[in-house]
Amino acid sequence: MAADCIARIARLRERVSAARREDLSVGCVPTMGALHRAHLELIDRARAECGLVVVTIFVNPLQFDREDDLRSYPRTLERDVELCDRHGADVVFAPSVDEMYPREPVATVKIRGLADGLCGASRPGHFSGVATVVLKLLNAVQPDVAYFGEKDYQQLVIIRALVEDSCLPVRIRAVETVREADGLALSSRNALLTDEQRAAAPALARELRNAARAVRAGESDAAKILGRARRALEAQPLLRLDYFDIVDPSTLRPVPEITGPVRIAAAAFLGTTRLIDNLPASPKVA
Ligand code: PAF
């Protein structure tokens, strides 16, 4: 059956309530559209685990720190709905900006600590915008489970904290990053790269793999690993490094001496397109 495309919160609630009356569990996949294989993986996971699958598609203005980034963000609703259909989603919730923000929001979410470093350092207000819209979407859908990709690792950690701090009765499921054959993490923004930028982009994933290998091999001095990775990326003419960091997987604070599991995270610009990626790494136990 074709997915029901819904634009109004009231109608969405009716649809979810009807599913609840039939005792169906509800899974939610929040997205900003321009769906690719990584989103489809989230939808497939939700389909396998839940009775009703709701995909939300909303390009959230609150989380964009640059007007040009918001304007150029790919919007492909018709194709997205088709893909949701093919992957068995029951509902596509695609509200307008007015539906989500009928007025300038009075209540927004402030993120402490977890948003200070990594992407938060160069995108002020971004995670407040993400947390605000995710809270609204989870309140609108009221799912049992919500699915997020690990590619946006800082976002994932912040959403887990948001759900815990707001006592939301929803389980957050993380799904591993999906990659192209050359290692580039799938992202809606990849569509904005020129051919030359696309050819240069896998350097980010390559240096993350090299850094993870060094951690596994027992290098405990983060500065050494970071120095090598940053130098290699700074030597790439088309790429402008934003950050390359090794952090604690829960607190996201920098880890100078590696003695346990860490997350290695990076962001870089290719032209005006900003790509992010990350990998987990742990020293091999002898
Ligand atoms: O990861 C995204 O696509 C967005 O940040 C999200 C979680 C849908 C909120 O707008």
Side-chain angles (χ1 to χ4, degrees), residues 30-32 39 58 60 63 130 133-134 137 148 152 155 159:
T31 81
M32 295 205 298
H39 294 115
F58 179 63
N60 172 35
Q63 71 188 75
V130 169
V133 82
V134 168
L137 290 169
F148 294 89
D152 298 286
Q155 167 174 288
I159 289 170

Side-chain angles (χ1 to χ4, degrees), residues 1-4 15 27 29 40 42-55 80-92:
M1 208 167 65
D4 207 356
R15 185 72 164 81
V29 181
L40 301 179
L42 301 179
I43 298 172
D44 291 347
R45 186 71 67 90
R47 182 67 288 164
E49 296 177 354
C50 303
L52 183 88
V53 174
V54 181
V55 178
D80 291 346
V81 174
E82 240 174 76
L83 286 169
C84 288
D85 265 349
R86 255 189 263 153
H87 284 258
D90 301 294
V91 176
V92 175

